[in-house]
Amino acid sequence: MKNNIRQFCFPTSVAEAARLLSRAKGKVLVVAGGTRLTRNISPQVEIVADISDVPLKHIKADKKWLKIGALCTFDEMEKSPLLAKWACGVIAQTAAFVSNAPARHMGTVGGNVVRPHPLNNLPAVFLALDAVAVATDGRKEKSFPFAEILKPEVMREFGSKYLLTEIRVPAVTKSWSAATDRLAATKTDWEAWANCVVVGAKKDGRCLDVRIVLGAVLPRATRMAEAEACLLGQPCDESAAWAAGFAVTAELQRLTNASEAKAYACEVAGVLARRVVIAAFQD
Amino acid sequence: MAKKGRGVLKVVDGQLDIVIQINGKDVSLRVGAGDNLLDTLRAQGFKGVKKGCDNGDCGTCLILLDGKPSLACLLFAAQAHGRKVLTIEGLGSTDKPHPIQTAFVEAGAVQCGFCIPGMVLAAKALLDENPDPDEPAVRRALDGNLCRCTGYVKQVEGVLLAARKLRAGSE
């Protein structure tokens, strides 16, 4: 296929990569893990920037944040001892669900976030954990809450104006209850019908705080506010989980305009949400 | 060959010069800017890198890139510049097969053989990291390699046999 590539660049620092983006606005294709198909290149692309040498592979925590470098692969996240303990291991578990072994070794968290697809698993987890995406335009660093970053108009800025460098998850979430599950043909099948993440905090058997996020059903990962309201302040028991599940189905039916094509997904998403709520809050 | 500081590669008349360490030898290549690594390796005679789906789904083009399982059909050839590629040709030969290859034959894991180079390399990546895997770990390591002849049972047995052989050899 015809392409207009003039250069392949291999920046070795964040500053160098960000400079490249700002110098050739809209003409740079950033590649890292390389799970993007190489033959579908826009004719606008003149420079391919392979950022895999940029040192952004850290997974560490300080008093305020858990920090995950944008170039961490799914395999590295799955095997991280820190992520295995964080929020009941929900990030590591989600990374382990991703596609197949070579994709888990090649694909990066940054690519999963900035090339948004409804079926990508990690944006739903980060949205549930109140995470922020840290990016730079070469001059200054900017933080985007996940609720913001998943909007298409913001997402378009990544790879053209901003270089994603890190995902930060608030430290308070370390001890939160969490669970995730997905309905798909196989455990790691990328094309799930529904994907659900529930995180939250409870005290004396009651739900203090909760996030219910659905992926795959809608164009982007979305919090289910009405289902969350069903749980807040309630005893963490099966009847609350059933109520949350019904609320998820009703909310999704509204959000998908009762589309017949999505009717099945809305139903199963409610059942999935109920199961994940039970798993997240069980002792 | 150092991986760091790979610099800038200029494309002239749609082509660029790259150097890849393939099976232990530095190979200088002139490739098209949009060429993928799969076609480039096959054009160099590494036909053990199979062309299956060309879409990242089947695993027949699996190679080890700096020791990690990677799908050659998804990478630009230029992305491998300055990096180490291992194909099945670099692992063993007909005269001197690698213990994983021997184990696959002994376990009856090879039928038509099309998927086997990718499976053997996926197994090598697993056994390099975990010399004593259990069956679920083996199945997980092979979950990106599709086989249309078998039910995967023999390949899983082959990897477990290879693990035993390699451990015995290193003791």
Side-chain angles (χ1 to χ4, degrees), chain B residues 56-126:
Chain B
D57 291 326
C58 73
T60 60
C61 67
L62 191 144
I63 52 156
L64 299 191
L65 186 64
D66 290 338
K68 298 287 183 191
S70 303
L71 300 172
C73 70
L74 293 181
L75 295 164
F76 287 113
Q79 281 179 272
H81 172 63
R83 300 178 74 175
K84 293 175 186 169
V85 167
L86 181 71
T87 72
I88 196 72
E89 290 86 351
L91 192 69
S93 63
T94 312
D95 296 337
K96 199 179 172 191
H98 187 275
I100 299 173
Q101 293 170 305
T102 309
F104 266 58
V105 172
E106 288 174 11
V110 183
Q111 289 195 15
C112 88
F114 193 81
C115 66
I116 296 302
M119 287 224 185
V120 168
L121 288 169
K124 175 164 174 30
L126 169 70

Side-chain angles (χ1 to χ4, degrees), chain A residues 230-245:
Chain A
C230 290
L231 293 176
L232 276 175
Q234 299 299 312
C236 299
D237 58 17
E238 280 208 30
S239 63
W242 275 86

Side-chain angles (χ1 to χ4, degrees), chain A residues 3 5-10 12 31 34 36-39 41 50 52-53 78-79 96 100-102 104-106, chain B residues 3-11 16 33-34 54-55 69-71 74-76 78-79 129 140-141 143-144:
Chain A
N3 65 66
I5 300 170
R6 290 188 296 109
Q7 259 182 28
F8 277 83
C9 298
F10 302 92
T12 55
V31 293
R36 182 189 174 117
L37 284 178
T38 52
R39 61 175 176 273
I41 303 299
D50 179 344
S52 55
D53 297 340
E78 180 189 346
K79 290 171 183 162
N100 55 42
R104 287 191 293 272
H105 280 95
M106 296 170 77
Chain B
K3 183 185 160 192
K4 293 290 175 191
R6 291 185 286 160
V8 175
L9 300 174
K10 300 268 185 200
V11 177
L16 70 160
D54 217 11
N55 200 37
S70 303
L71 300 172
L74 293 181
L75 295 164
F76 287 113
Q79 281 179 272
E129 190 177 298
R140 206 165 146 68
D143 71 0

Side-chain angles (χ1 to χ4, degrees), chain B:
Chain B
M1 191 168 50
K3 183 185 160 192
K4 293 290 175 191
R6 291 185 286 160
V8 175
L9 300 174
K10 300 268 185 200
V11 177
V12 179
D13 295 332
Q15 298 203 304
L16 70 160
D17 295 321
I18 60 172
V19 181
I20 309 175
Q21 191 185 97
I22 307 175
N23 301 333
K25 289 182 187 157
D26 283 358
V27 180
S28 300
L29 301 167
R30 177 158 292 180
V31 297
D35 287 357
N36 68 28
L37 185 58
L38 166 59
D39 292 336
T40 301
L41 289 169
R42 288 182 62 82
Q44 290 300 309
F46 299 101
K47 298 290 173 79
V49 191
K50 301 296 183 191
K51 190 159 179 155
C53 68
D54 217 11
N55 200 37
D57 291 326
C58 73
T60 60
C61 67
L62 191 144
I63 52 156
L64 299 191
L65 186 64
D66 290 338
K68 298 287 183 191
S70 303
L71 300 172
C73 70
L74 293 181
L75 295 164
F76 287 113
Q79 281 179 272
H81 172 63
R83 300 178 74 175
K84 293 175 186 169
V85 167
L86 181 71
T87 72
I88 196 72
E89 290 86 351
L91 192 69
S93 63
T94 312
D95 296 337
K96 199 179 172 191
H98 187 275
I100 299 173
Q101 293 170 305
T102 309
F104 266 58
V105 172
E106 288 174 11
V110 183
Q111 289 195 15
C112 88
F114 193 81
C115 66
I116 296 302
M119 287 224 185
V120 168
L121 288 169
K124 175 164 174 30
L126 169 70
L127 298 179
D128 284 348
E129 190 177 298
N130 177 6
D132 189 13
D134 56 11
E135 187 183 319
V138 174
R139 287 189 176 277
R140 206 165 146 68
L142 299 185
D143 71 0
N145 297 84
L146 298 185
C147 173
R148 299 292 77 163
C149 301
T150 76
Y152 302 97
V153 172
K154 297 294 182 186
Q155 282 103 345
V156 172
E157 287 173 3
V159 179
L160 293 169
L161 176 60
R164 289 196 295 275
K165 279 175 180 284
L166 287 165
R167 286 200 307 275
S170 64
E171 279 163 11

Side-chain angles (χ1 to χ4, degrees), chain A residues 65-248:
Chain A
W65 303 101
L66 163 69
K67 298 175 177 179
I68 305 171
L71 293 180
C72 285
T73 64
F74 304 116
D75 183 63
E76 288 160 349
M77 293 169 70
E78 180 189 346
K79 290 171 183 162
S80 159
L82 182 57
L83 296 189
K85 286 185 289 189
W86 202 280
C88 302
V90 72
I91 304 172
Q93 198 185 335
T94 303
F97 282 161
V98 173
S99 195
N100 55 42
R104 287 191 293 272
H105 280 95
M106 296 170 77
T108 62
V109 59
N112 201 253
V113 168
V114 303
R115 298 241 166 76
H117 192 287
L119 303 178
N120 286 358
N121 296 343
L122 286 167
V125 177
F126 291 132
L127 178 62
L129 289 169
D130 294 345
V132 296
V134 180
T136 178
D137 63 1
R139 291 188 303 275
K140 58 180 188 300
E141 198 173 82
K142 190 171 174 182
S143 296
F144 297 86
F146 257 76
E148 195 68 26
I149 191 183
L150 296 175
K151 292 176 181 167
E153 62 273 22
V154 179
M155 194 59 79
R156 275 194 289 272
E157 305 265 60
F158 285 89
S160 55
K161 184 176 178 187
Y162 292 109
L163 180 76
L164 178 70
T165 56
E166 192 172 80
I167 309 295
R168 288 185 189 159
V169 179
V172 67
T173 62
K174 184 177 182 180
S175 57
W176 278 9
S177 301
T180 181
D181 206 351
R182 54 208 294 277
L183 186 73
T186 65
K187 197 75 174 166
T188 57
D189 191 346
W190 184 58
E191 295 182 41
W193 291 288
N195 165 27
C196 180
V197 184
V198 175
V199 302
K202 64 176 181 178
K203 193 175 179 189
D204 301 331
R206 284 186 181 271
C207 174
L208 282 185
D209 202 354
V210 68
R211 315 273 183 274
I212 300 177
V213 177
L214 262 293
V217 187
L218 297 165
R220 57 179 186 265
T222 306
R223 274 181 70 174
M224 298 286 106
E226 289 167 31
E228 289 174 8
C230 290
L231 293 176
L232 276 175
Q234 299 299 312
C236 299
D237 58 17
E238 280 208 30
S239 63
W242 275 86
F246 287 132
V248 163

